[in-house]
Amino acid sequence: MTQIPAPILSLIAGILITLVSLWVGQNHGLFPEQASVQAPLVDGLFNVMMTIATALFIVVEGAILYFVIRYRRRAGDNEDGIPLEGNLPLEAFWTAIPAIIVIGVGIYSVDIFQQMGGFTPGAHHHAPITQEVDQAVPGATDAVLLAGMGGMDRPAKAERVYGFGSAEDRDADVVVDVTAMQFAWLFNYPDDGIITGELHIPENQEVQLNISARDVIHAFWVPQFRLKQDAIPGEKTELRFTANRPGTYPIVCAELCGSYHGGMRAEVIVHPEDEFDQWLADNRRVADTGISAGAIATTIPDVANSAAMPDPATMDDAEFLAPYGHEMGISAEAIAHLHPALAPAPALP
């Protein structure tokens, strides 16, 4: 029987490994649906990495299995193994190939993140320094100030904002201030006076999230958008994206933030443009009444979305706990019985 030459076998094996790796890289099924413009960019990078990882896995594990079978000890063979020394070409080959792969993937990933607006911190400048000095020194003239600064009207220090899209000069279509706290998300629409426990955004419009944290580090993550941004106490971060698929998607805290970290979840609802405009109009009417849903909106979304609630800061303990008791089917009398300190004070004569 004619033996197939080793180069031919290697070529056939290489073709098969390439085809299998390409198929796995495009059909791994590990991601949820794509719901943002940025999602295909992330998926493309991941698919390339998955293709390379599959090929390396097949080569390494295949070589191990081959050598385990091919060079196993036969019955009655008690001789020592053949002494082998290093093979410089082989060592150079298996060092150069991974190095080229790592450098290539690194360059590709940098390009993807730059397309998404990452890595470059944005500078949000304050008022020019001339105005600040003019307020501090009444009567000072612009001419004197400019002369003192060498004729340059320099801005004051720039406030750095980090995150995807923070370096963009253009204004976003929708701006939402996002506040993270243990263990809830609050969403404030500053242009409309709306505060809610759910993030509502329009389809196919650029959204800017100004993210901050009140206590510890949190992370705003929407798997369907393929985007994650840390919320850091004392630092401002920003996230820009465009959702292109209407629906309701989970918002997950992806940074261990305490004992109830696993329950720190909310929802982002992507509306068609006309539905989003209607949602804004409906909630502006509630906001115009001057009643805020407050932080309870995060823990009792159904109550927050159906009726505005008083500000928790103005409530006593019994008033604050009443909605929770109602949701659990516990009356105010039962709460007072369990904890007499929460019973309403008797009326004075």
Side-chain angles (χ1 to χ4, degrees), residues 95-177:
T95 301
I97 295 302
I100 294 172
I101 292 174
V102 169
I103 293 173
V105 171
I107 294 174
Y108 182 28
S109 64
V110 168
D111 179 64
I112 293 297
F113 280 106
Q114 281 294 88
Q115 290 184 52
M116 296 170 61
F119 289 134
T120 304
H124 292 212
H125 297 279
H126 296 299
I129 198 170
T130 54
Q131 297 178 6
E132 295 183 358
V133 176
D134 189 36
Q135 294 172 0
V137 184
T141 63
D142 289 343
V144 173
L145 293 171
L146 290 175
M149 293 187 297
M152 296 180 61
D153 185 10
R154 299 173 301 174
K157 67 177 183 178
E159 182 181 53
R160 292 292 181 180
V161 181
Y162 297 90
F164 290 112
S166 62
E168 298 288 351
D169 293 330
R170 66 183 184 279
D171 294 332
D173 299 312
V174 178
V175 177
V176 184
D177 295 334

Side-chain angles (χ1 to χ4, degrees), residues 302-314:
D302 293 337
V303 176
N305 293 334
S306 60
M309 300 185 66
D311 189 344
T314 64

